[in-house]
Structure formats: C-alpha cells, structure tokens
C-alpha cells in the first residue's frame, strides 16, 4: 500500500474564490473534488466544465469523487480531462470492471467508492482492476457529517484483502476525517484521507494538513 496522503475536499472551500482556496492547501497530496448531480445524492455541486477549469489552474493533482448516477456514461469523460484519479460509486455503475478499465484507458487511476452500508466482499475479486478503494465513512452528499465508526470493520476487511493480494491499492476514507478520527481510520488500514472542514475550517490549512498527515503516519509507523 502507498504512503499516507491527505486530500482536502474543496466541498468545504469558498467556491467564489476556488483558485485562491487551492493555493491555501499547497502541501496537500491531491485536491479532492466532489461531483454531485442531485440524483445519486440530494446535493448539486460541480460538473465537467468547472472541473476542467480547476484542472487547468491547480498545481496539485485532482482526485475526483463522482457521486453521480449513470457513472458508466459520465466517469470516462472526467478521466479524459487529465485528472489524476476518478472514483465512481459501485452503486451507480452497471459494469464496474469495464468502467474501471475505461478510466484507466484514458490515463487516470481508477477508484471505486462504497457507501457505508455497501459490503466490500462482493467486490474483492476485482481489486486488480482498481487503483483505489474508497470506503465512505459518512453517507455521501454533504460535508461536515460525523464519522461513522460502524465503517471501521469494513475498512479492516478491505485492508486485509489488499495486503493479501499484494496489490499497490490505496484505501481512501471520506467523511468526518479530523484530528479526532484520523488515527482510528489509519489503524483500521486506510492510507488516503479526505478532509474538508478539518482543513478549510482551520486558520492555517497547510498546518492542519501537516498535523493530519503526522497523526496518520504515526499510526502506520507503529
């Protein structure tokens, strides 16, 4: 598995000043971009044209999380923008293996997300088709939610499967990640952490990133 990474979510940023907000997280590993369509989730955020513009101005790689219906149709278009990674929800995909391959064929890393109540076991045989597995630690759709400890056993099972496979697969967690919860998620086996309000709600986002990374790495080292 890869090193511990902190990917701040711009869902908690000031959307009127996104370029400036990107510059405030210069020490992050990637920018987590939440795409919501008001169908798969009840919120509406960004679409292809805005994500393309963010890609053009960002000094950091973009990690897109597509909380959208009909992922088979739309996810490859995000990969074509040149994003570092594109993550689709398995609940919104008809043919997840084909979709993961389509994303990879377009030059992006392929991620697959699971809602808190979606079991990981049915998808363990397709780990070789993925670069990242995203275990949602809140219900997708809104920022600022409380971390769901009930997801920790699933993270552990996913991490054990990844270790057993020998694959360089990242396990990402998204939702309620803060200084109070990141150690629990890291102990369970996650190594890529999406943090929104914990970063952008801080007076110094880069300092918050540094503290989150140090906390996760301390667990991994132990």
């Amino acid at each position: 598995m890869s090193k511990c990474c902190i990917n701040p979510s711009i869902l908690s940023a000031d959307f009127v000043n996104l370029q400036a907000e990107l510059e405030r997280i210069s020490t992050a590993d990637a920018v987590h971009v939440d795409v919501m369509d008001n169908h798969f989730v009840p919120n509406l955020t960004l679409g292809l044209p805005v994500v393309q513009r963010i890609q053009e101005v960002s000094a950091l790689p973009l990690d897109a999380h597509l909380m959208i219906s009909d992922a088979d149709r739309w996810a490859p278009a995000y990969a074509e923008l040149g994003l570092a990674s594109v993550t689709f929800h398995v609940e919104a995909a008809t043919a997840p293996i084909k979709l993961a391959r389509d994303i990879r064929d377009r030059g992006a890393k392929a991620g697959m997300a699971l809602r808190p109540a979606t079991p990981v076991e049915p998808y363990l045989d397709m780990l070789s088709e993925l670069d990242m597995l995203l275990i949602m630690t809140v219900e997708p759709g809104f920022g600022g939610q409380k971390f769901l400890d009930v997801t920790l056993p699933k993270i552990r099972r996913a991490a054990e499967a990844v270790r057993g496979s020998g694959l360089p697969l990242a396990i990402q967690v998204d939702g309620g990640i803060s200084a109070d919860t990141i150690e629990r998620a890291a102990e369970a086996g996650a190594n890529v952490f999406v943090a929104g309000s914990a970063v952008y709600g801080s007076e110094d986002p880069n300092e918050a990133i540094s503290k989150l990374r140090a906390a996760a790495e301390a667990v991994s080292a132990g």
Side-chain angles (χ1 to χ4, degrees), residues 49-61:
V50 176
V51 175
Q52 180 177 10
R53 185 65 183 129
I54 295 171
Q55 168 73 7
E56 291 169 352
V57 303
S58 177
L60 295 171

Side-chain angles (χ1 to χ4, degrees), residues 163-178:
R163 284 192 294 268
S165 72
L167 295 166
L169 187 81
I171 296 182
Q172 185 179 73
V173 286
D174 181 1
I177 298 299
S178 68

